[in-house]
Amino acid sequence: MTSAHQTRPPAFAPMAKLSRALRIGETSSVMLTRECLRRIAAHDAVFKSFLAVYEEEALAAAALADEELRAGHDRGPLHGIPLALKDLVNIQGKPTTAGSPLLSANIAQQDAAIVRRIADAGGVIVGKTHMVQFALGAWGTNTHMDTPRNPAGRATDTLVAGGSSSGSAVAVAAHLVPWAIGSDTGGSVRVPAAYCGIVGFKPTIDALPREGVYALSESLDSVGLIASSVQDARLCFEALVGAPGSGADARRRIGVLEADELAPLAPAVARCHAQSLQRLEQAGFSLVPFRFPASLAAFKEPTNAIMIAEGAWVNDRFLDDPDAPMDPSVRSRLVAARATTAVQYLQAQATASRWQQEFAGEMDRLGLSAVAMPVTAMTAPRLEDVDHNVAPVHFTRPVNLLALCGISLPAGEDDDARPIGLQLVGRAGGDHALLGVAAEVAAALHPSRIPPQEMRNA
């Protein structure tokens, strides 16, 4: 069998370098876009990350980007750089399936707000990526539409990519596009980023607009970014929302979980996490013991009460037909959510509100700029070993329930070359500050990492 590892093309240059190259004529948006399209055509039969590729539209957008740059109309650092979208984001005239054949005829009447913002920034959308059905699942599998393949691990592995933004993560990790849009309701950007060895940024809810994005949970969804590095993620976020204001948080005090909360970690993940914290201390960070308002296990019940109930409300029209093409793990959770009472739902919302205030108060009391914690308890399993009765979101779901921002950074690998992520959690609305801390943490974790090579033909 041909392995993903043998077919992955070389990495792109950092996006800041690509942006400079576009402005001094070393490359063009059409050249970059053609290279992405070539890579997708040559390699995505293995990776299965793309649901649809918009070659004609992408090349037209790239040609326009080049024309504007030549005319002196510079839209910013994303101008002319290609990307991919998770297929729950509306593009006018294109289907938005949200990973389900039940929505194959769901043709968008207008662009999503994030698509308009990308267009205003000069980005070039090359296609849409596969995802878990209705965005309800963190392993990254999809029985009916296709399951993307993780480029990481050993050549004999076929690992899950993580979900629900599986295709977007694989498209970036496989070096098919420089960056991608995903969404995150309980870890759906951070988990696949960790499993694939790249960066996944979940901003505060509505830091990136959600209008025109197929919802799973109105209370918990965030539009997120997937990139190869913190620098790339930061460039994308600032290009889409604006540069940070003055007075950035310069504190180097980071909260860390106490030993009892790290008990679920597999041995290799526990070792990597301890080594990461040691590197942060060596780099001058102060590590402060930190506890969330409740045990991490206690976040499961209120998160599910909100997320699954709202997801069932969105997709209720599909649940009465037993023959409808729906993944069993998705159907069972949505059907079970019909039993959630109004009292349970409102109690969960009240709990979330109370914990949000307590978290903010504890961050203030301890003077923390972020909390460092694992992303997942284990590295990516093989597709055949996935247990759909559990989900790898034990360490990620609190960020959504508390309406915070969070980012997954590559921290290392286990003995089977499967990536391990480190998660940094910031305050609600503290997205710019978190990205700044993340850049310093990434430098501490990998002080001698060689920058990605410049884009070239594979």
Side-chain angles (χ1 to χ4, degrees):
M1 181 179 72
T2 301
S3 78
H5 316 76
Q6 295 166 331
T7 61
R8 177 162 41 171
F12 291 97
M15 288 175 60
K17 189 169 185 178
L18 290 178
S19 185
R20 288 193 298 272
L22 284 166
R23 282 150 183 79
I24 64 176
E26 286 184 356
T27 188
S28 69
S29 181
V30 168
M31 290 172 62
L32 289 175
T33 302
R34 287 193 185 280
E35 174 63 8
C36 288
L37 294 169
R38 187 194 68 77
R39 290 176 180 221
I40 294 166
H43 303 290
D44 204 46
V46 171
F47 296 120
K48 302 179 184 295
S49 61
F50 277 88
L51 169 68
V53 178
Y54 307 135
E55 179 174 356
E56 182 178 341
E57 294 91 338
L59 289 172
L64 176 60
D66 286 334
E67 180 181 332
E68 288 183 335
L69 285 173
R70 286 193 297 269
H73 183 193
D74 191 335
R75 295 179 178 269
L78 295 182
H79 196 151
I81 297 181
L83 72 144
L85 292 181
K86 184 177 182 178
D87 190 33
L88 43 57
V89 180
N90 285 345
I91 297 178
Q92 184 177 11
K94 303 293 185 185
T96 299
T97 73
S100 176
L102 293 164
L103 291 169
S104 59
N106 179 36
I107 307 301
Q109 299 304 302
Q110 61 182 13
D111 288 338
I114 188 65
V115 170
R116 297 196 297 271
R117 196 167 288 191
I118 289 167
D120 288 343
V124 177
I125 297 168
V126 298
K128 285 191 174 185
T129 55
H130 283 294
M131 56 178 284
V132 176
Q133 190 172 38
F134 301 142
L136 186 55
W139 292 116
T141 59
N142 189 314
T143 302
H144 299 284
M145 300 289 282
D146 223 337
T147 296
R149 304 298 193 263
N150 191 337
R154 299 198 182 281
T156 54
D157 286 336
T158 304
L159 305 178
V160 296
S164 63
S165 305
S166 48
S168 289
V170 170
V172 173
H175 309 149
L176 304 183
V177 288
W179 70 289
I181 291 288
S183 69
D184 191 308
T185 308
S188 291
V189 161
R190 290 160 289 151
V191 170
Y195 279 171
C196 293
I198 52 177
V199 170
F201 177 49
K202 175 226 170 296
T204 306
I205 291 175
D206 290 326
L208 294 175
R210 294 185 290 167
E211 175 201 340
V213 177
Y214 194 88
L216 171 58
S217 169
E218 185 67 25
S219 298
L220 304 176
D221 290 349
S222 290
V223 173
L225 304 173
I226 297 173
S228 294
S229 68
V230 176
Q231 289 80 4
D232 282 1
R234 192 177 188 180
L235 179 148
C236 293
F237 186 71
E238 292 181 0
L240 293 172
V241 307
S246 59
D249 189 348
R251 290 174 294 184
R252 292 169 65 84
R253 288 171 61 82
I254 292 182
V256 294
L257 300 183
E258 299 196 44
D260 61 314
E261 289 285 28
L262 300 176
L265 297 182
V269 179
R271 286 193 299 272
C272 182
H273 188 68
Q275 290 166 358
S276 295
L277 298 185
Q278 184 179 31
R279 292 191 184 104
L280 295 188
E281 279 195 306
Q282 292 169 346
F285 287 93
S286 296
L287 304 186
V288 181
F290 180 85
R291 284 194 175 275
F292 279 79
S295 70
L296 297 185
F299 279 81
K300 180 177 180 179
E301 183 176 344
T303 302
N304 282 347
I306 295 169
M307 178 177 66
I308 309 301
E310 291 182 352
W313 178 76
V314 171
N315 298 293
D316 187 71
R317 64 195 185 277
F318 303 126
L319 300 182
D320 289 329
D321 180 2
D323 297 321
M326 197 178 301
D327 284 8
S329 61
V330 173
R331 173 187 287 280
S332 63
R333 296 176 73 190
L334 293 177
V335 169
R338 284 175 158 179
T340 302
T341 67
V343 171
Q344 290 171 324
Y345 176 81
L346 293 173
Q347 284 177 336
Q349 291 281 14
T351 296
S353 179
R354 184 176 72 254
W355 286 354
Q356 287 165 14
Q357 295 176 27
E358 292 175 5
F359 177 90
E362 189 68 355
M363 291 284 282
D364 288 340
R365 185 182 73 82
L366 297 174
L368 302 181
S369 56
V371 176
M373 55 196 292
V375 184
T376 60
M378 58 184 289
T379 53
R382 296 181 179 88
L383 282 169
E384 59 268 26
D385 296 332
V386 166
D387 180 0
H388 286 288
N389 293 314
V390 297
V393 294
H394 178 80
F395 292 100
T396 55
R397 64 161 70 93
V399 179
N400 299 81
L401 190 70
L402 300 182
L404 308 172
C405 52
I407 189 168
S408 172
L409 315 177
E413 295 179 343
D414 67 9
D415 291 340
D416 293 315
R418 302 181 190 191
I420 299 170
L422 176 70
Q423 181 178 202
L424 296 175
V425 178
R427 302 162 186 261
D431 304 273
H432 289 295
L434 180 65
L435 287 166
V437 173
E440 294 186 45
V441 168
L445 294 179
H446 306 288
S448 60
R449 173 168 285 184
I450 300 172
Q453 351 179 12
E454 294 187 32
M455 192 178 71
R456 63 175 187 270
N457 289 343

